[in-house]
Amino acid sequence: MNINDLKNSFEKIFKAPPENQYFSPGRINLIGEHTDYNGGFVFPCAITLGTYGLVKKRNDNKFRLYSLNFEDTDLVEVDLSNLEYNEKDAWTNYVKGMLKYMTVENPSINAGLDILVYGNIPNGAGLSSSASLEMLIGVILKEEFSLNIDKKTLSLIGKKVENQYIGVNSGIMDQFAVAFGKVDSAIILDCNTLYYEYVNVNLEDNLIVIMNTNKRRELTDSKYNERRCECESALSKLQTIIKINNLCDLTVKEFNRHKHIIKNTIEEKRALHAISENERTKEAMNLLRNNNLEAFGKLMNESHLSLKDNYEVTGKELDTLVESAWRQKGVLGARMTGAGFGGCAIAIVSKEDLDSFIKNVSKDYKKVIGYEASFYIASIGEGSQKLS
Ligand code: GLA
């Protein structure tokens, strides 16, 4: 589906051509998993898979929404006067949530829009299709109504939609990566202060392969919120003996000195993951800056093991993919990416060995899991934007 197909679809559905086109990416995270809500570092990149939005202004204040990803559903009409969450409204809740929080602060959003949405991020694959949609709507509203609002504020509104409107207690990584993405760059983000820098991703003769378990990961019914609570509980116990605001304020060494206070093996393991992952992420940033891909890959492997053994969010599907990837020739490192519990893993693979890599991992996965995995080559792209 290219942009002309999308324009034709828009015209067919809304009986007039679109006025503007927008794109918002998905993301992968190189390393730094489940650290964002623990006040640590993350290291994501926006990818060139994402969500397109074609738009035309209306004269009333109705928002009419259509997604080409769910063609069996009808055109959905949303009125600015009724923006409450409704489970039945499925994907349009993300749009309504953004509208709800953005109209409060921006009275200049005073008219409706016809919006056609099409995404090529595999749905439920943990590549942030929901943050992609939120930031798409954010940038559409910003441009269509000439709002004076920066990317950071848009990311925070997207996070608020997830947390307060949808009910997933996620951190800031996804919205931030989607909004701030830059070609061939990873974003090192301190989630405590939101200070960030771009790091050039030069993989030489290697590629990033995204491996999709094709096991759907539903964040809302997953154990995501439970992990977050376990971390909060460990933090509050540590705070009775040391002055910290977040788990990631600690080094592993400091944690080992104080962990006796937690008195709960599960919570101790969760905290150890967050703290050690934060250290790995900072180290990984330095390694990538120095083009030390080999050591970078090893940290990815360590990250996966910690997510498997301490955070327990990998599961059989992700472990099968990653462990098979580790056995292949030309692989520098592999790990799950995103929340876990299904979704995707990534591997850094030499171009030369790409074909055999995909063939062998595919075969291993099918044999153990019983259905196919999917593979994509990740290109690192720009953040949410109006297309010219
Ligand atoms: C999901 C959340 C993020 C982050 C990751 C795990 O993608 O939306 O905020 O917590 O999981 O690193």
Side-chain angles (χ1 to χ4, degrees), residues 27 29 32-37 170-174 219 224 338-339:
R27 67 97 190 90
N29 187 20
E33 220 65 82
H34 292 279
T35 45
D36 59 353
Y37 53 84
S170 51
I172 189 66
M173 172 171 74
D174 300 349
L219 260 193
Y224 186 92

Side-chain angles (χ1 to χ4, degrees), residues 285-330:
M285 169 195 68
N286 288 325
L287 292 168
L288 196 63
R289 280 206 165 112
N290 295 322
N291 288 328
N292 189 341
L293 293 178
E294 212 150 292
F296 185 89
K298 291 212 171 89
L299 287 180
M300 289 175 72
N301 301 348
E302 279 175 34
S303 164
H304 186 87
L305 284 174
S306 174
L307 287 154
K308 176 179 185 228
D309 299 332
N310 292 329
Y311 222 63
E312 297 178 278
V313 293
T314 55
K316 192 171 170 194
E317 293 81 4
L318 282 167
D319 288 336
T320 302
L321 278 180
V322 168
E323 284 161 18
S324 169
W326 288 342
R327 289 191 295 270
Q328 306 308 319
K329 186 168 160 264

